Amino acid sequence: MIIIEIVHLLASIILIYVKSLIHLIFGKPRKDISGQVAVVTGAGHGLGRELALELSHKGAKVALLDINKPGVDKVDHEIKSTGGVSCSYQCDVTSQTDVQKVFNQIGDNLGPIDILINNAGITHCTPFMDLTPQQIRKTFEVNTLSHFWTISSVLPGMIARERGHIVAISSIAGLLGTPNVVEYCASKFAVNGLMTSLEKEIHANGANNNVHLTTICPLIMDTGMFKKPKTRFNSLLPICSPSDVAKTAIDSMLKNDSIITVPQSAMAIYRIEKIVPEEAAQKVQDWLDYGVGSHKSD
Ligand SMILES: *[C@@H]1O[C@H](CO)[C@@H](O)[C@H](O)[C@H]1NC(C)=O
């Protein structure tokens, strides 16, 4: 009976609203990750370093990956000096064989991987017509394809152990297009597509509702990745600090959130943008004057 199905559907939707309201009032519970093994790519500096420190602070054992070994060695030292457990590895995330090799080593050194944070990313901050094919390929290799290599190394184990969390550090650029970073936006839109559909695929396969996926879409951070950030209203669309973003990112992982922006208020702006006419959205975007300048013009 279709009527019964619809009533059932409506009832479960209302239940979801009630649950959200309860979480809004009393806060969502956080899971405990102490003793779990977490991998962070691009952990040698900026947001990756902050994510690693935050995970260690929450009691996780952290495997630190970066193409730049001295960078991760320093973070490794920092974590150990606060009594945390960590290991550092040189890893080129664009190489599937390198990823496989390093992830096997992590398994031997720290144990099976419970948490994967795909953070490594690059940008060229160059207008579309000035991008070289090599630059475009590189951005996709680091920002998008690497997620396929790391996820396929950990997902079978997570499903078998019925425990795991995969986090993608995407960007607001994965939700909204921005000039001067066309290749970067495209690579982050692709990450959002990967995360949304993979989450559905894992859950459609039923057996495993204990493997969670979280996509983090921060606004521009002052890590030096974008040398010329601009925002007209800093309180509304701030240039974020990586330590704040890391805290919010890990907290939303502990709550099993699917996708968030940092600050979370930016999600409201994104949602409004999607329902107003395209032209109106563009007018508002121009007025907010939020974005990045090209690195080329210096
Ligand atoms: C998050 O997921 C884990 C594993 O499925 C579960 O044990 C925990 O209760 C969930 N926490 C929240 C806040 O939903």
Side-chain angles (χ1 to χ4, degrees):
M1 281 281 282
I2 199 92
I3 295 284
I4 295 178
E5 282 176 25
I6 292 172
V7 169
H8 196 255
L9 184 62
L10 287 176
S12 48
I13 291 171
I14 292 169
L15 205 65
I16 291 168
Y17 271 96
V18 171
K19 220 160 88 184
S20 303
L21 192 68
I22 292 172
H23 285 156
L24 202 68
I25 299 168
F26 298 104
K28 227 174 168 182
R30 271 67 166 173
K31 61 183 170 193
D32 180 14
I33 55 162
S34 54
Q36 295 196 7
V37 176
V39 177
V40 182
T41 68
H45 69 282
L47 180 61
R49 173 179 164 273
E50 298 289 345
L51 288 165
L53 296 175
E54 185 63 15
L55 284 164
S56 171
H57 183 68
K58 298 284 179 205
K61 302 178 209 166
V62 195
L64 309 153
L65 274 55
D66 206 294
I67 195 147
N68 164 22
K69 188 71 162 60
V72 265
D73 285 345
K74 238 176 101 190
V75 181
D76 187 33
H77 193 75
E78 227 175 311
I79 288 177
K80 289 193 169 109
S81 72
T82 62
V85 179
S86 57
C87 270
S88 60
Y89 305 83
Q90 179 168 35
C91 183
D92 176 2
V93 290
T94 68
S95 155
Q96 192 184 3
T97 48
D98 209 21
V99 166
Q100 193 72 60
K101 191 189 79 194
V102 171
F103 278 52
N104 286 338
Q105 286 171 5
I106 296 168
D108 295 342
N109 296 344
L110 295 175
I113 296 163
D114 302 299
I115 298 167
L116 164 65
I117 306 210
N118 280 315
N119 161 72
I122 58 163
T123 180
H124 294 96
C125 253
T126 301
F128 180 82
M129 291 304 283
D130 295 332
L131 284 166
T132 66
Q134 290 82 346
Q135 287 178 319
I136 297 166
R137 284 212 179 85
K138 189 80 188 167
T139 300
F140 274 86
E141 294 263 5
V142 178
N143 295 6
T144 313
L145 294 179
S146 69
H147 292 227
F148 285 84
W149 317 144
T150 55
I151 292 172
S152 55
S153 298
V154 298
L155 190 56
M158 288 180 175
I159 289 175
R161 290 194 314 283
E162 301 202 357
R163 182 166 94 175
H165 208 126
I166 296 166
V167 179
I169 303 299
S170 183
S171 165
I172 192 74
L175 296 170
L176 299 172
T178 313
N180 295 318
V181 278
V182 173
E183 106 290 7
Y184 179 77
C185 284
S187 74
K188 293 299 192 183
F189 266 74
V191 164
N192 287 21
L194 155 66
M195 294 297 282
T196 316
S197 30
L198 182 60
E199 185 176 37
K200 292 191 171 150
E201 188 174 299
I202 292 173
H203 292 168
N205 290 341
N208 230 283
N209 289 320
N210 290 322
V211 176
H212 294 275
L213 271 67
T214 300
T215 307
I216 310 288
C217 300
L219 269 64
I220 302 164
M221 281 174 278
D222 55 0
T223 54
M225 183 180 215
F226 300 103
K227 296 191 183 71
K228 292 176 191 161
K230 55 173 183 174
T231 184
R232 189 161 163 214
F233 302 104
N234 197 54
S235 49
L236 187 65
L237 296 172
I239 307 300
C240 302
S241 88
S243 72
D244 289 346
V245 172
K247 285 193 177 72
T248 310
I250 299 304
D251 194 51
S252 78
M253 180 191 83
L254 299 181
K255 292 187 286 181
N256 299 335
D257 288 338
S258 272
I259 180 162
I260 62 146
T261 60
V262 191
Q264 275 163 292
S265 55
M267 189 56 98
I269 299 176
Y270 167 70
R271 290 201 167 131
I272 293 167
E273 272 231 12
K274 291 291 127 187
I275 54 170
V276 303
E278 204 74 35
E279 240 179 300
Q282 190 54 53
K283 285 253 181 308
V284 174
Q285 270 198 19
D286 291 346
W287 183 68
L288 291 171
D289 194 27
Y290 178 81
V292 291
S294 160
H295 290 181
K296 271 229 150 166
S297 41
D298 11 76

